[in-house]
Amino acid sequence: MNLTLIRNATLRLELAGQTVLIDPMLGERHTLPSFGGLEANPTVPLPVPPDAALHGVTLLVVSHLHPDHLDAAALAALPRDLPLLCQPGDEANLRGHDFQHVTPLQDSLTLQGLTFTRTAGEHGSGEILSRMGHAMGFTLRAPGEPSLYWAGDTVLIPAVRETIAREQPDVIVTHSGGAALGGTLIIMDAAQTVDVLRAAPDATVVAVHLESLDHCATTRADLRHAAQAAGVAARLLVPQDGETLTLA
């Protein structure tokens, strides 16, 4: 399995002869409004042209409709004839943008030899959670490939721990930038990512959703320091934008 971080949560996964593009945010720097009152987003440039991010893609996944997971530039660039997986409730919106093969991931399904199973998460807590709406995660399995748990935009809740314990994934992708609204975390920070590493002692954790939005306070250096202090840094990968990891 090759995993390429494009930027933020935008990933390319190459496995079992397929190329999956997850949560495409393909706009140039400063094409989205500020989320934290500091700077327009994204705060960093796209490391590759949009056509390079899209090259060879056979399947799209859009976990939710926030603009840092599907922006106007992606909507302009994405082919409309590719299969697209989304969370239930978002399919009408996506079909309204002329995507021809939209499938809500209700539970578990196999597409092009890849088996996706939707997982629970919470994009914040308390009053902030009701404002943020739903966002899905998923597990992904394919013959001869590492099993993957893509947690998505969630804080660390019991359901995340239960998924780790039940699925025993080889690879876990966390959104670890510590984004917060009104002082409330809406994705994981360094401490919660370290807790994921502790909960999955045999897994490699790949931390993304870092250093690209103005409300994400956790840096790559923060995360590596926290993992080192906890003695779990050997199993943590924190890719740079544009970097490809080969996961066995």
Side-chain angles (χ1 to χ4, degrees):
M1 177 190 295
N2 287 330
L3 180 155
T4 302
L5 171 63
I6 303 299
R7 179 185 55 189
N8 195 51
T10 306
L11 301 182
R12 281 173 57 100
L13 287 178
E14 298 173 6
L15 73 166
Q18 303 297 324
T19 300
V20 184
L21 183 67
I22 301 171
D23 281 2
M25 177 179 68
L26 301 178
E28 295 297 330
R29 183 171 180 256
H30 290 169
T31 52
L32 292 174
S34 169
F35 302 147
L38 300 175
E39 182 181 352
N41 289 301
T43 59
V44 294
L46 196 67
V48 297
D51 59 352
L54 291 167
H55 179 72
V57 169
T58 58
L59 176 64
L60 303 171
V61 177
V62 175
S63 67
H64 61 303
L65 300 178
H66 288 172
D68 58 316
H69 296 260
L70 180 69
D71 65 353
L75 283 171
L78 293 172
R80 286 340 196 227
D81 58 348
L82 288 176
L84 189 157
L85 285 183
C86 67
Q87 67 176 344
D90 288 349
E91 60 268 31
N93 183 298
L94 292 163
R95 289 170 183 151
H97 287 288
D98 297 324
F99 290 101
Q100 300 166 23
H101 306 292
V102 179
T103 303
L105 184 58
Q106 300 284 355
D107 181 18
S108 183
L109 78 95
T110 299
L111 270 179
Q112 300 173 340
L114 309 180
T115 299
F116 293 84
T117 301
R118 186 160 60 99
T119 60
E122 293 184 0
H123 199 353
S125 58
E127 179 185 345
I128 293 295
L129 177 59
S130 63
R131 287 171 50 191
M132 295 304 294
H134 297 289
M136 73 172 183
F138 59 83
T139 60
L140 174 57
R141 294 183 181 272
E145 299 283 0
S147 58
L148 181 139
Y149 170 32
W150 187 88
D153 267 10
T154 184
V155 292
L156 182 55
I157 57 172
V160 171
R161 295 183 184 274
E162 290 162 9
T163 297
I164 292 169
R166 181 181 67 251
E167 299 292 334
Q168 296 289 300
D170 299 312
V171 179
I172 302 171
V173 178
T174 58
H175 290 182
S176 299
L181 291 177
T184 298
L185 277 178
I186 57 174
I187 59 173
M188 297 184 202
D189 59 3
Q192 291 192 358
T193 305
V194 166
D195 283 345
V196 168
L197 282 152
R198 288 173 172 147
D202 298 320
T204 297
V205 173
V206 180
V208 300
H209 207 310
L210 293 150
E211 297 182 350
S212 53
L213 302 173
D214 76 326
H215 65 333
C216 288
T218 300
T219 67
R220 290 176 168 94
D222 293 336
L223 192 51
R224 291 189 180 102
H225 178 77
Q228 273 192 328
V232 293
R235 294 186 292 105
L236 174 67
L237 299 176
V238 190
Q240 297 295 317
D241 293 349
E243 183 177 355
T244 297
L245 306 175
T246 298
L247 303 164

